[in-house]
């Protein structure tokens, strides 16, 4: 996994190139180096080149080009944005940073007549400091597209390629400030990669075979000459061989990687989560009942996906380091939140509680708590309904005992049944119901003979309202005169006759307070 699908050929094999055009695919490594030897063949010409490419911190690329073993130039580029799931990668850079104005794989100089014959045309754009920006995107794991604009080596004025330059909108040619478009495609299968590219100067196709530590490349360059039958100019065939820095790295050993997958809401382990290592041949993993999945993985950086039918899919990057076992803890969000389901149950319980259906409300709150054990609202509601059930149970028991004393066993039994409705596990209710049913069905006791009582003395007649009012007035007068003992005697007489008399009660309270102060 040290090499990303970054380049197929050099020019052959410039830094971060497809065949000749640049791309935004860089190696996924802090440091990566390539050494490429290539040659291009035409009927009357052979050119040999050497390229040294270096990549740093997954972002920077520097290439040293030695054209025909005599002319030198640098390529410098920067990966402004790596490729994301929905966005292309974006790279900017300069080609042919050198002191010679005109330069290509065929050599360089300060006149447009240097280099390959088919590029010695009138109005040739100087190749030095060829600025560009390019976007690259995988449409699927095997197929990628590259599109960019640039100046210098990307500008051509052929009968057809002139339409790729902004000079098509002008009546003159702008050597230093003309920009042209370029486009490339690549398809990979196993170790083979096939590429097609077009820019303002040529149409190229290529094929490479990647053996991780080394590669071989073949390309057809300037194919527009063969397609459009230009008798004066010829297409070229190029071949190259590359070795890279992985050739000198010690063979790494697999490292144990343990994934611990949990539910983000309740922190419980997730069984059956599927873990896949994207764009690799590593078999997928499935978590066990403890939410754990383990595998022996080679060191490197991986993009993994975690999926489960009940949880939202997740992608994360994992960096497996050499000789260092790794534990990866990942919390998945449920597709349907248990907290939300619990809240719905709480609302059901609230409606039942309001309707007086305490047992049903308790069941709803308990279900809410079982679904989401961390719910403070469900815990509070459950405590409230249990308190209400206890209070209601005590109320029904008190009424049952009251009616039992009165001998109304039927009504007493009905209240004990109410107790069982809201508190089915009450230990007292079944015993009392059985006891009261026996009493209710027992034969009635024989009535006792009535004892004839001697006629009692006639009760004294109840005083009239006028008498009560007169006595009350006398008591108030005694109170006002400070004769509190007389006032108390008269007030007590009034309350004996009329227990609900509020004025008498008030004056009696005040009289007793005065007597208490006087110590009498």
């Amino acid at each position: 996994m040290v090499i990303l699908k970054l380049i197929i050929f050099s020019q052959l094999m410039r830094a971060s190139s497809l065949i000749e055009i640049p791309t935004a695919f860089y190696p996924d490594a802090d440091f990566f180096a390539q050494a490429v030897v290539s040659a291009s063949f035409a009927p009357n010409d052979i050119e040999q080149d050497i390229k040294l490419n270096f990549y740093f911190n997954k972002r920077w690329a520097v290439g040293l080009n030695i054209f025909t073993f005599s002319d030198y130039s640098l390529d410098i580029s920067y990966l402004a944005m790596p490729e994301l799931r929905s966005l292309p990668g974006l790279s900017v850079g300069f080609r042919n940073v050198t002191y010679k104005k005109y330069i290509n794989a065929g050599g360089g100089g300060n006149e447009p007549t240097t280099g390959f014959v088919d590029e010695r045309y009138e109005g040739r754009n100087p190749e030095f400091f060829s600025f560009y920006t390019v976007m690259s995107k995988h449409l699927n794991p095997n197929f990628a597209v590259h599109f960019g604009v640039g100046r210098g080596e990307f500008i051509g004025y052929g009968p057809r390629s002139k339409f790729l330059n902004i000079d098509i909108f002008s009546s003159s040619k702008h050597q230093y400030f003309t920009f042209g478009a370029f486009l490339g495609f690549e398809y990979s299968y196993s170790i083979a990669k096939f590429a097609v590219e077009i820019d303002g100067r040529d149409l190229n196709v290529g094929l490479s075979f990647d053996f991780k530590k080394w590669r071989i490349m073949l390309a057809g360059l300037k194919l527009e000459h063969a397609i459009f039958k230009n008798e004066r100019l010829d297409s070229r065939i190029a071949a190259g061989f590359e070795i890279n820095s992985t050739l000198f790295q010690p063979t790494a050993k697999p490292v144990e990687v343990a994934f611990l997958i949990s539910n983000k809401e309740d922190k419980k382990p997730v069984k059956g989560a599927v873990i896949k290592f994207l764009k690799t041949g590593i078999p997928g993993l499935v978590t066990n009942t403890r939410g754990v999945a383990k595998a022996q993985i080679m060191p490197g950086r991986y993009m993994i996906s975690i999926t489960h039918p009940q949880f939202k899919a997740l992608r994360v990057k994992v960096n497996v380091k050499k000789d260092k076992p790794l534990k990866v803890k990942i919390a998945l969000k449920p597709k349907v939140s248990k907290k939300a389901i619990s809240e719905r149950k709480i609302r059901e319980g609230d409606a039942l509680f309001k309707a007086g259906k305490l047992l049903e409300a308790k069941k709803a709150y308990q279900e809410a708590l079982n679904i989401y054990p961390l719910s403070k609202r469900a815990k509070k509601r459950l405590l409230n309904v249990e308190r209400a059930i206890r209070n209601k149970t005590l109320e029904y028991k008190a009424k049952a005992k009251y009616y039992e004393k009165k001998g109304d066993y039927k009504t007493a039994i009905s209240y004990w049944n109410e107790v069982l409705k809201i508190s089915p596990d009450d230990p007292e209710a079944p015993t009392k119901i059985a006891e009261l049913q026996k009493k209710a069905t027992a034969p009635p006791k024989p009535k006792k003979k009535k004892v004839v009582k001697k006629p009692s003395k006639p009760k004294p007649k109840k005083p009239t309202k006028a008498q009560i009012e007169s006595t009350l007035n006398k008591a108030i007068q005694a109170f006002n005169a400070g004769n509190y003992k007389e006032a108390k005697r008269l007030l007590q007489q009034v309350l004996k006759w009329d227990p609900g008399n509020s004025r008498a009660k008030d004056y009696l309270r005040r009289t007793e307070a005065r007597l208490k102060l006087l110590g009498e």
Side-chain angles (χ1 to χ4, degrees):
M1 289 294 296
V2 180
I3 305 175
L4 200 64
K5 293 178 184 176
L6 67 157
I7 48 180
I8 294 185
F9 303 102
S10 169
Q11 184 179 352
L12 207 31
M13 287 305 275
R14 304 283 288 270
S16 297
S17 295
L18 192 62
I19 302 172
E20 290 186 355
I21 67 168
T23 80
F25 291 162
Y26 282 46
D28 188 17
D30 292 327
F31 176 77
F32 185 75
Q34 297 168 303
V36 184
V37 178
S38 62
S40 58
F41 305 89
N44 300 310
D45 196 13
I46 298 177
E47 300 293 345
Q48 300 86 32
D49 303 315
I50 296 176
K51 313 290 185 297
L52 299 175
N53 301 323
F54 303 92
Y55 300 86
F56 306 95
N57 299 323
K58 307 178 190 177
R59 293 274 184 166
W60 292 95
V62 178
L64 172 64
N65 309 302
I66 306 173
F67 297 128
T68 66
F69 300 109
S70 61
D71 296 306
Y72 302 86
S73 75
L74 286 177
D75 296 336
I76 301 172
S77 63
Y78 175 69
L79 182 61
M81 183 176 72
E83 181 186 20
L84 302 174
R85 186 175 183 181
S86 56
L87 296 173
L90 176 67
S91 176
V92 295
F94 285 95
R95 292 282 191 90
N96 299 314
V97 178
T98 182
Y99 58 92
K100 293 188 177 181
K101 189 175 179 181
Y102 298 94
I103 189 167
N104 58 33
N110 291 316
E111 299 297 329
T113 55
T114 58
F116 289 120
V117 174
D118 50 18
E119 291 186 1
R120 300 173 188 171
Y121 51 81
E122 183 181 352
R124 172 180 173 183
N125 283 60
E127 290 89 2
F128 75 147
F129 290 89
S130 295
F131 173 77
Y132 68 86
T133 180
V134 62
M135 293 185 297
S136 299
K137 183 76 179 75
H138 281 96
L139 303 184
N140 62 46
N142 301 99
F143 184 67
V145 178
H146 310 277
F147 175 77
V149 293
R151 62 156 301 277
E153 69 175 68
F154 306 100
I155 307 302
Y157 291 103
R160 298 162 190 84
S161 63
K162 65 182 179 182
F163 295 107
L164 296 174
N165 309 328
I166 60 173
D167 271 355
I168 191 175
F169 302 107
S170 171
S171 58
S172 59
K173 298 174 183 179
H174 303 83
Q175 278 199 329
Y176 296 102
F177 303 107
T178 301
F179 283 85
F182 55 86
L183 181 66
F185 306 92
E186 63 172 305
Y187 179 80
S188 62
Y189 181 78
S190 185
I191 63 170
K193 294 181 179 68
F194 177 73
V196 178
E197 65 178 31
I198 183 170
D199 63 12
R201 297 202 176 182
D202 40 36
L203 168 66
N204 306 321
V205 298
L207 182 67
S208 74
F209 298 92
D210 188 346
F211 298 95
K212 300 295 184 183
K213 298 178 185 296
W214 57 278
R215 279 191 291 178
I216 55 174
M217 296 81 69
L218 299 171
L221 309 177
K222 300 285 184 181
L223 296 184
E224 69 276 9
H225 299 331
I227 295 172
F228 299 107
K229 306 297 183 184
N230 191 324
E231 296 179 359
R232 295 183 298 105
L233 300 173
D234 298 304
S235 299
R236 293 195 296 275
I237 296 173
F241 176 77
E242 173 221 320
I243 59 172
N244 58 60
S245 53
T246 61
L247 182 68
F248 308 102
Q249 293 176 356
T251 304
K253 295 180 182 178
V255 174
E256 183 178 86
V257 179
F259 294 92
L260 291 79
I261 311 299
S262 63
N263 185 330
K264 193 167 187 177
E265 280 193 337
D266 57 17
K267 315 302 179 189
K268 291 183 178 178
V270 175
K271 178 187 176 183
V274 178
I275 301 165
K276 291 183 179 179
F277 294 80
L278 304 180
K279 298 181 183 180
T280 72
I282 300 172
L285 307 173
V286 180
T287 55
N288 58 22
T289 53
R290 294 181 291 111
V292 177
K294 295 181 180 181
Q296 296 290 324
I297 307 296
M298 294 298 292
R301 288 180 172 86
Y302 301 89
M303 176 66 76
I304 65 167
S305 69
I306 305 101
T307 56
H308 190 284
Q310 297 174 10
F311 294 85
K312 293 179 181 178
L314 185 66
R315 285 191 177 193
V316 295
K317 286 183 178 179
V318 174
N319 184 12
V320 182
K321 296 183 179 180
K322 186 171 62 173
D323 301 328
K324 190 174 181 180
L326 179 65
K327 280 188 179 181
V328 183
K329 294 182 180 180
I330 297 170
L332 298 179
K333 287 184 179 179
K335 287 181 179 177
V336 180
S337 169
K338 289 186 178 181
K339 186 177 181 180
I341 298 172
S342 175
E343 288 295 323
R344 286 201 294 269
K345 278 291 177 185
I346 290 172
R347 289 194 290 272
E348 287 177 22
D350 290 345
L352 292 166
F353 188 91
K354 192 174 181 181
K357 299 178 180 180
L358 301 181
L359 199 62
E360 291 89 336
K362 179 182 177 181
K363 184 179 178 183
Y365 295 141
Q366 188 62 62
E367 286 177 0
L369 198 58
N370 291 341
I371 292 167
Y372 186 57
L374 300 177
S375 173
K376 292 181 180 179
R377 289 186 69 208
K379 289 176 183 177
K380 186 176 179 180
R381 295 290 203 284
L382 190 58
L383 289 173
N384 289 344
V385 77
E386 286 174 345
R387 189 182 301 115
I389 288 172
R390 284 196 300 272
N391 292 339
K392 204 69 177 174
T393 300
L394 292 173
E395 180 188 333
Y396 288 148
K397 285 184 177 182
K399 288 183 178 180
K401 290 173 182 177
Y402 169 77
Y403 283 104
E404 182 183 358
K405 285 180 182 178
K406 287 184 69 176
D408 187 350
Y409 302 131
K410 186 176 180 182
T411 304
I413 289 171
S414 69
Y415 277 110
W416 282 114
N417 283 326
E418 290 298 322
V419 169
L420 286 176
K421 283 181 184 178
I422 62 170
S423 185
D425 299 325
D426 187 90
E428 189 181 3
T431 306
K432 291 300 294 182
I433 290 171
E435 181 185 317
L436 290 170
Q437 283 175 341
K438 271 187 181 182
K439 288 182 179 181
T441 56
K445 292 180 180 179
K447 292 182 179 180
K448 293 181 180 179
K449 291 181 180 181
K450 288 184 179 180
V451 178
V452 180
K453 294 181 179 179
K454 292 179 181 181
S456 57
K457 292 179 182 180
K459 292 180 180 179
K461 289 183 180 180
K462 190 175 182 180
T464 64
K465 286 184 179 180
Q467 287 175 318
I468 294 170
E469 191 67 27
S470 175
T471 305
L472 178 58
N473 289 335
K474 288 178 182 180
I476 293 170
Q477 290 172 3
F479 176 84
N480 292 333
N483 190 356
Y484 300 122
K485 287 184 178 180
E486 179 62 15
K488 180 178 180 180
R489 184 185 69 77
L490 291 171
L491 288 167
Q492 287 175 335
Q493 183 62 47
V494 170
L495 289 171
K496 186 177 180 182
W497 291 337
D498 184 10
N501 193 305
S502 59
R503 289 183 69 201
K505 286 180 181 179
D506 181 50
Y507 271 97
L508 180 60
R509 179 181 57 75
R510 294 163 64 184
T511 300
E512 287 175 342
R514 296 290 175 89
L515 287 168
K516 188 175 181 181
L517 287 171
L518 295 171
E520 295 181 10

